[in-house]
Amino acid sequence: MLSTEQIINTMSSQGLRITDQRKTLARLFAESPGYLTPKDVYEYMGKTYSGLSFDTVYRNLRVMQDLGVLEQVIFEDGVKFRAHCSEDHHHHHMICLKCQKTYPIVFCPMQLADAPEQFQVVDHKFEVFGYCKDCAEYAPAKVSTGHSHDHGKH
Amino acid sequence: MLSTEQIINTMSSQGLRITDQRKTLARLFAESPGYLTPKDVYEYMGKTYSGLSFDTVYRNLRVMQDLGVLEQVIFEDGVKFRAHCSEDHHHHHMICLKCQKTYPIVFCPMQLADAPEQFQVVDHKFEVFGYCKDCAEYAPAKVSTGHSHDHGKH
DNA sequence: TTTAGTGCAAAGTTTTTGCACGGTA
DNA sequence: TACCGTGCAAAAACTTTGCACTAAA
């Protein structure tokens, strides 16, 4: 993942002004292992900046995503952000349902999924959800209670 | 995909009452090749049921999803629904960005993605986005204009 | 000094909830 | 008849926009 400095340098070099708030944002994302909701960010930032408003958080998240320093992922329960991967090569993620830490998967299934009948592939998504070794204890019992933790089959 | 009758039978056998509106809903989803937003459904249903309210649409979508006759997919631009696949075996989807028709992919990458460091896999998502042969003409030019049609890399 | 960033207020979207009436089983 | 499904109204949750002031460069 990108470091605080990498995030700030990118923003600066793209002409954005480096405010205190943006420095804190950069540090927050550089040091957060998992995904953060806009609300998470708002609450964390609010501890330091008393008059903080939600729209500024949204604006900065949007700007940082457009710049490529943050990446947005849409979960079943809403939109979340994290620092962009610093790895150059294409890869996918395993995402822990408890701590939301991500682990890279170098393997890409697209090489193997033969596109049927002239389907022109533009993009693809491959994500694995589960519990990392630190969170294995939180894994639900074998018998599922219903639709919980169902992050989209098929 | 499930047929109108299969949808209605399932709902009925689960104790739901079969109203006119639900019959129409069942037919709509059984005959729609692509994904529908709640708004799409509301607008279509509104043509027949003048006093229709949005909350009823949401309630029925929710109920039908809980029952398993509909499946919900979260796109970058919002939540969408379609009739549940009738195929029994596990599979994935290619989704056309223009007409939203889906094509099954029997290949499942999970067999090949070796889970690293004791990661306990619960679920996975593999989706391919692009243009089907009928919509190839709508595919954007080679040089991308920016973040459009980026349905989440990695 | 110039212009981008911020807080504030308000509005726009999307989704949910409570209640009373009407229709299904 | 009993109770679920519906419309209506309102609220809740989430996100965006306009404006004036402040601060970065």
Side-chain angles (χ1 to χ4, degrees):
Chain A
M1 294 217 307
L2 296 175
S3 68
T4 309
E5 291 71 32
Q6 287 175 309
I7 293 174
I8 289 177
N9 288 342
T10 303
M11 295 179 75
S12 175
S13 70
Q14 292 297 107
L16 295 191
R17 294 183 179 174
I18 306 307
T19 62
D20 269 5
Q21 211 174 120
R22 285 179 172 170
K23 276 185 210 154
T24 307
L25 264 180
R27 207 172 327 114
L28 170 61
F29 277 105
E31 293 173 1
S32 293
Y35 290 87
L36 300 173
T37 63
K39 198 174 165 193
D40 291 335
V41 176
Y42 176 70
E43 283 168 0
Y44 176 85
M45 299 289 290
K47 288 191 288 192
T48 308
Y49 306 92
S50 59
L52 183 70
S53 54
F54 235 118
D55 51 82
T56 303
V57 170
Y58 275 109
R59 272 188 290 237
N60 278 326
L61 290 175
R62 169 72 57 92
V63 164
M64 292 170 79
Q65 199 212 334
D66 287 347
L67 229 63
V69 295
L70 292 189
E71 56 186 63
Q72 169 182 316
V73 174
I74 307 205
F75 289 86
E76 302 278 313
D77 60 341
V79 176
K80 299 182 185 179
F81 294 85
R82 45 160 277 170
H84 198 282
C85 299
S86 49
E87 312 202 20
D88 288 336
H89 59 279
H90 179 75
H91 63 288
H92 296 277
H93 286 138
M94 294 199 143
I95 301 165
C96 178
L97 292 169
K98 175 68 183 172
C99 70
Q100 304 213 323
K101 231 175 266 176
T102 62
Y103 302 84
I105 304 174
V106 247
F107 163 69
C108 176
M110 272 318 289
Q111 309 145 356
L112 297 163
D114 32 287
E117 38 181 315
Q118 302 130 34
F119 194 93
Q120 190 178 331
V121 175
V122 170
D123 198 7
H124 64 284
K125 190 186 284 186
F126 176 44
E127 288 158 358
V128 177
F129 300 93
Y131 293 88
C132 71
K133 63 177 194 301
D134 297 335
C135 300
E137 55 191 305
Y138 296 102
K142 294 283 159 51
V143 180
S144 168
T145 53
H147 293 86
S148 56
H149 293 307
D150 181 347
H151 279 249
K153 299 188 192 311
H154 301 283
Chain B
M1 295 216 306
L2 296 175
S3 68
T4 308
E5 291 71 32
Q6 286 174 308
I7 293 174
I8 289 176
N9 287 344
T10 304
M11 294 179 75
S12 175
S13 70
Q14 292 296 108
L16 295 190
R17 294 185 179 171
I18 306 306
T19 62
D20 268 4
Q21 210 172 123
R22 285 179 172 168
K23 276 185 210 155
T24 307
L25 265 179
R27 207 173 324 114
L28 170 62
F29 277 104
E31 293 172 2
S32 293
Y35 289 87
L36 301 173
T37 63
K39 199 173 165 194
D40 290 336
V41 176
Y42 176 69
E43 283 167 1
Y44 175 86
M45 299 288 291
K47 288 191 289 191
T48 309
Y49 306 92
S50 57
L52 183 69
S53 53
F54 234 120
D55 51 81
T56 305
V57 170
Y58 275 108
R59 272 187 290 238
N60 278 326
L61 290 175
R62 170 70 59 93
V63 165
M64 291 168 81
Q65 197 213 335
D66 287 348
L67 229 63
V69 295
L70 292 189
E71 56 185 63
Q72 170 184 315
V73 173
I74 308 207
F75 290 86
E76 301 280 314
D77 61 339
V79 177
K80 299 182 185 179
F81 294 84
R82 46 161 275 172
H84 197 282
C85 299
S86 49
E87 311 202 19
D88 288 337
H89 60 279
H90 179 74
H91 63 288
H92 296 278
H93 285 138
M94 294 199 146
I95 301 165
C96 178
L97 292 170
K98 175 69 183 171
C99 70
Q100 305 215 320
K101 231 175 267 177
T102 63
Y103 302 84
I105 304 174
V106 247
F107 164 69
C108 175
M110 272 317 289
Q111 311 142 357
L112 297 163
D114 32 288
E117 38 181 313
Q118 302 131 36
F119 195 94
Q120 190 177 329
V121 175
V122 170
D123 198 6
H124 65 283
K125 190 186 285 186
F126 176 45
E127 288 159 357
V128 177
F129 300 92
Y131 293 87
C132 71
K133 62 176 194 301
D134 297 336
C135 298
E137 55 191 304
Y138 296 102
K142 293 283 159 51
V143 179
S144 168
T145 53
H147 292 86
S148 58
H149 292 309
D150 181 347
H151 276 250
K153 300 188 192 311
H154 304 282

